[in-house]
Amino acid sequence: QVQLVESGGGLVQAGGSLRLSCAASGSISIINGMGWYRQAPVKGRELVATISSDRTNYADSVKGRFTISRDSAKKTVYLQLDSLKPEDTAVYYCNADLYSFGTGRRNYWGQGTQVTVSS
């Protein structure tokens, strides 16, 4: 069984920084890509950033402020959030596109971590 466990959310003032982590565990054979999405109140879930073996991708709203990185050996993805704005307030979800033994290729989601930016 595959699990994604996020950590690092919290309350920060505008202009501040946070670092989110997401560790994948379980019967994982190959991780194709990992990423972060977010969902603000009364809004749909939106892509923040993704990372695969050869590329990264960012939403226009976070380019230049957020940085996604990955430690393949630890099966962990990170999201460094700098120059935070109140509009970045949301629940941030980790996502992984991976192969697991006995299940094949699937998409997995973490439970979410709250990021709140005060003005």
Side-chain angles (χ1 to χ4, degrees):
Q1 187 174 355
V2 174
Q3 282 190 316
L4 301 181
V5 179
E6 299 127 332
S7 61
L11 172 64
V12 65
Q13 287 188 330
S17 298
L18 285 172
R19 190 188 193 212
L20 307 183
S21 300
C22 171
S25 63
S27 303
I28 298 168
S29 59
I30 299 171
I31 299 178
N32 293 318
M34 299 184 79
W36 292 92
Y37 292 72
R38 67 185 181 186
Q39 186 164 13
V42 302
K43 289 187 177 180
R45 192 170 295 189
E46 63 176 2
L47 180 147
V48 176
T50 60
I51 185 168
S52 62
S53 59
D54 60 349
R55 69 180 65 181
T56 57
N57 181 50
Y58 294 92
D60 288 342
S61 59
V62 307
K63 282 180 181 176
R65 300 188 299 119
F66 292 6
T67 304
I68 190 169
S69 60
R70 177 178 169 181
D71 185 329
S72 297
K74 294 182 179 179
K75 299 184 179 66
T76 299
V77 64
Y78 305 95
L79 187 68
Q80 178 67 37
L81 296 75
D82 296 318
S83 302
L84 281 160
K85 304 175 181 179
E87 51 264 42
D88 294 319
T89 296
V91 177
Y92 284 69
Y93 295 92
C94 176
N95 175 270
D97 171 17
L98 58 84
Y99 288 88
S100 65
F101 296 106
T103 304
R105 184 175 185 177
R106 282 185 56 187
N107 221 267
Y108 293 86
W109 292 92
Q111 79 285 357
T113 185
Q114 178 70 46
V115 171
T116 303
V117 185
S118 63
S119 57

